[in-house]
Amino acid sequence: SVKVAASMRNAANGIRRIEADHVLSNTPEEIKDADRRLDEANALLEKRVEAYKEFISEPEERAAFTEFNKSKAAYMAQQGKVIVESSKGEAGFEAAKAIFRGASRETFNAMVGDIAKIVEINDEFSKKSSANGDATYSSARITVLLLISTALAMAVVLVIVILRNVTGLLGGEPA
């Protein structure tokens, strides 16, 4: 789940780069290409968000994911405003730039910050799981060693009992 959350961050960063390309586009062809790439990048982020949902298991993680969805929605709303202005070409450049550098940047940073919290939570859970696995392994190892030691001790006792019994039947120790 850490890898999936990290892939969400990578997808978000890709979206932001394409958004900047959109703002800097000068021709209708460049704008159309940026629109297409932005749609693809947004779809990729959604795909990764859907993949991550399968891994949510703890309440703390669910709460962080809920916050992420809120900040993502706020960012997407700002992105829509940037795209509307940017699609106007030179006429909307200054407004698109202002939104991109202002509210869009703030909401993007909040969204990426929420992804970072998700990664951090998953990293903590991974460390706890690893520690639990190590403790279980250690406990199982001790149990197996105790069982082997007990079986060995019982075998030694059984050999002694059998030897005494056989020597008693034969009439004593051989000379």
Side-chain angles (χ1 to χ4, degrees):
S1 62
V2 172
K3 287 182 180 180
V4 177
S7 74
M8 289 168 35
R9 180 174 37 210
N10 291 340
N13 286 329
I15 290 169
R16 186 70 174 163
R17 284 189 300 275
I18 296 167
E19 188 180 355
D21 286 347
H22 199 291
V23 170
L24 296 173
S25 295
N26 293 322
T27 66
E29 293 80 24
E30 288 176 344
I31 291 171
K32 186 176 179 181
D33 181 57
D35 283 335
R36 179 192 54 78
R37 291 177 26 233
L38 194 56
D39 288 343
E40 290 172 0
N42 282 330
L44 177 62
L45 176 60
E46 283 306 314
K47 181 180 174 185
R48 297 208 170 140
V49 167
E50 288 301 315
Y52 179 75
K53 283 181 184 178
E54 297 175 21
F55 294 103
I56 298 173
S57 60
E58 300 293 326
E60 182 182 1
E61 188 177 15
R62 189 166 310 285
F65 186 72
T66 299
E67 288 302 310
F68 160 73
N69 277 322
K70 289 177 187 175
S71 61
K72 181 172 73 83
Y75 170 64
M76 291 300 166
Q78 291 303 317
Q79 182 187 87
K81 293 176 184 177
V82 168
I83 300 311
V84 165
E85 293 300 324
S86 176
S87 294
K88 295 176 184 175
E90 288 295 322
F93 177 72
E94 289 301 322
K97 184 172 76 170
I99 298 167
F100 181 78
R101 289 184 174 169
S104 179
R105 177 186 289 166
E106 290 172 18
T107 55
F108 174 79
N109 288 340
M111 179 181 71
V112 172
D114 288 340
I115 294 172
K117 288 177 192 172
I118 290 171
V119 169
E120 185 179 311
I121 289 168
N122 279 281
D123 189 45
E124 288 175 25
F125 288 146
S126 295
K127 288 176 184 176
K128 288 177 185 176
S129 292
S130 177
N132 288 340
D134 291 347
T136 301
Y137 171 77
S138 179
S139 175
R141 184 173 171 204
I142 290 169
T143 301
V144 168
L145 289 175
L146 286 173
L147 289 173
I148 290 171
S149 298
T150 302
L152 186 60
M154 289 173 61
V156 168
V157 169
L158 189 58
V159 165
I160 291 171
V161 168
I162 290 172
L163 280 176
R164 283 192 179 176
N165 196 10
V166 169
T167 55
L169 290 174
L170 293 175
E173 293 280 332

